Amino acid sequence: MSTSTPLPSSQCRYLLDSLSEYVDGTLQESLCLEIERHLAECDNCRVVVDTLRRTVYLVQTLEQAQPTLPSDVRVRLFHKLQLDEFLEGDTVEGHNAEIAER
Amino acid sequence: MTEPISLEALKAGDKAEFARFVETHSPAIYRLALRMLNNPQDAEDILQETFIKAYQNLPRFDGRSKLSTWLYRIATNEALMLIRRRKPEALSVDAPVSNGEGLAQEALEIVDWSHMPEESLLSDEVRRYLRQAIDRLPPTLKAVFLLREIEGLSTRETAEVLGLSEAAVKTRLSRARLALRERLSVYYRDRLEGKP
Ligand SMILES: [Zn+2]
């Protein structure tokens, strides 16, 4: 079921800003315990935590290290910096393969 | 493996080392600029400007931060400056964490999509939707989000890049994540309710 409601208690709002660190596991222990006590009795915050954790997972899975540098952009960058003589060599991370293969 | 970039060689004006420096860091700088500005031409301008500025400022670089952090700092400043020129209103309320501050007072979307199967979570449509949601973050939140979450910088490094306190970085990352959670919840709510 879906509802769009203000979180019921001021406790929910107070804890909201700590949830990001909580899902990262970097929150100080006393606050973690406070959150866990609250989650045991607050369904809404449990949903927020579960979906926040999922959001972070999705970002990390779908968004890693893309896009790379297009080869024409790389060539123009080297030209602009007057580094044309260094364009031929191997590229560091294996992209621009078409240039590296020449 | 490749040798780490030598700051001494860079400072001594070693051209080959500077080329290696450009080669090593240009993909990340371009990626960041492209995500900040959503425009390949702007991203290319920022990329070039970043390395030109780096070259000019090398003599004054004290080496206290990592070279990559220093470059990110130049690039982010350039990107935020360009955004300020183009859309002053996007950055006009640039007091500490003012963007998104109202979030805690707003209604939250409470729909539990956390148990949806992987294949529907990882679809191309979700990828596009998420990409768009990130693009729409206010620039000050977006910069923190991209550096921490996409580029993998630590809280301290991100604070250094943006000239913020670590607490401000944590707060902005939290606001950005909550904003994305909100957007994804709306998306999945519509899917779960069978809306197109
Ligand atoms: Zn609650």
Side-chain angles (χ1 to χ4, degrees), chain B residues 55-72:
Chain B
Y55 185 78
Q56 290 166 345
N57 288 307
L58 260 174
R60 269 163 288 155
F61 176 60
D62 59 13
R64 265 188 300 168
S65 53
K66 288 200 276 183
L67 276 167
S68 57
T69 310
W70 180 62
L71 268 185
Y72 277 129

Side-chain angles (χ1 to χ4, degrees), chain A residues 2-3 5 7 13 17 20 24 51 54 57 62-63 66 69-70 74 76 80 82 85-86 92, chain B residues 15-16 23 26-27 30 35 44 48 104 108 110 113-114 118 121 127 131 175 177 181 189 193:
Chain A
S2 88
T3 46
T5 44
L7 286 174
R13 287 193 195 117
D17 272 334
S20 169
D24 282 342
T51 51
R54 224 51 186 143
Y57 166 79
L62 295 175
E63 284 286 340
Q66 48 171 319
L69 189 63
R74 175 177 173 268
R76 286 193 293 270
K80 182 93 179 179
Q82 297 172 351
E85 61 193 288
F86 300 100
V92 170
Chain B
K15 218 175 164 189
E23 194 79 88
S26 50
Y30 182 72
R35 298 304 299 276
E44 185 168 351
Q48 295 183 353
L108 284 172
I110 305 293
W113 50 270
S114 63
E118 287 278 295
L121 283 177
R127 186 193 299 268
R131 172 64 59 100
R175 298 282 152 85
R177 283 171 163 182
R181 189 211 71 90
R189 181 199 64 200
E193 287 174 356

Side-chain angles (χ1 to χ4, degrees), chain B:
Chain B
M1 282 312 293
T2 40
E3 291 268 303
I5 304 293
S6 156
L7 180 57
E8 277 148 54
L10 287 182
K11 280 183 173 262
D14 183 331
K15 218 175 164 189
E17 192 66 357
F18 191 73
R20 231 159 56 80
F21 173 63
V22 174
E23 194 79 88
T24 304
H25 294 292
S26 50
I29 296 300
Y30 182 72
R31 189 163 62 224
L32 179 72
L34 191 57
R35 298 304 299 276
M36 281 298 291
L37 299 158
N38 300 324
N39 175 318
Q41 186 55 56
D42 287 345
E44 185 168 351
D45 291 346
I46 298 291
L47 175 70
Q48 295 183 353
E49 199 53 38
T50 298
F51 282 102
I52 289 169
K53 286 239 160 89
Y55 185 78
Q56 290 166 345
N57 288 307
L58 260 174
R60 269 163 288 155
F61 176 60
D62 59 13
R64 265 188 300 168
S65 53
K66 288 200 276 183
L67 276 167
S68 57
T69 310
W70 180 62
L71 268 185
Y72 277 129
R73 187 181 177 104
I74 299 172
T76 315
N77 282 340
E78 291 291 319
L80 290 173
M81 241 158 27
L82 186 62
I83 293 170
R84 191 172 284 128
R85 277 204 300 276
R86 295 265 168 83
K87 282 171 66 184
E89 72 280 6
L91 287 167
S92 59
V93 217
D94 203 19
V97 215
S98 55
N99 271 319
E101 185 147 49
L103 193 66
Q105 272 69 49
E106 284 164 19
L108 284 172
E109 195 64 48
I110 305 293
V111 44
D112 191 0
W113 50 270
S114 63
H115 300 291
M116 287 185 72
E118 287 278 295
E119 62 268 26
S120 73
L121 283 177
L122 300 176
S123 69
D124 284 344
E125 195 182 58
V126 173
R127 186 193 299 268
R128 277 196 302 276
Y129 189 85
L130 181 62
R131 172 64 59 100
Q132 200 182 56
I134 296 169
D135 288 343
R136 287 179 183 169
L137 289 172
T140 48
L141 295 190
K142 191 166 158 185
V144 168
F145 182 83
L146 293 176
L147 290 167
R148 284 285 286 115
E149 211 85 304
I150 310 293
E151 299 301 327
L153 270 64
S154 69
T155 300
R156 200 175 55 75
E157 287 166 341
T158 306
E160 222 174 285
V161 168
L162 296 170
L164 295 170
S165 68
E166 291 188 38
V169 168
K170 286 178 184 174
T171 306
R172 288 185 190 195
L173 178 63
S174 166
R175 298 282 152 85
R177 283 171 163 182
L178 286 169
L180 295 180
R181 189 211 71 90
E182 200 66 17
R183 302 282 306 160
L184 286 169
S185 296
V186 170
Y187 173 86
Y188 286 116
R189 181 199 64 200
D190 292 349
R191 293 304 166 286
L192 290 169
E193 287 174 356
K195 285 187 198 160

Side-chain angles (χ1 to χ4, degrees), chain A residues 41-101:
Chain A
E41 55 196 36
C42 181
D43 290 341
N44 282 351
C45 282
R46 214 157 42 230
V47 170
V48 173
V49 167
D50 287 344
T51 51
L52 185 61
R53 193 172 272 134
R54 224 51 186 143
T55 299
V56 173
Y57 166 79
L58 280 184
V59 167
Q60 286 168 357
T61 310
L62 295 175
E63 284 286 340
Q64 277 330 291
Q66 48 171 319
T68 53
L69 189 63
S71 54
D72 55 332
V73 175
R74 175 177 173 268
V75 168
R76 286 193 293 270
L77 174 64
F78 273 67
H79 183 68
K80 182 93 179 179
L81 299 169
Q82 297 172 351
L83 296 170
D84 305 70
E85 61 193 288
F86 300 100
L87 266 172
E88 298 304 319
D90 284 329
T91 55
V92 170
E93 287 169 46
H95 39 261
N96 308 313
E98 71 276 21
I99 288 179
E101 277 164 17

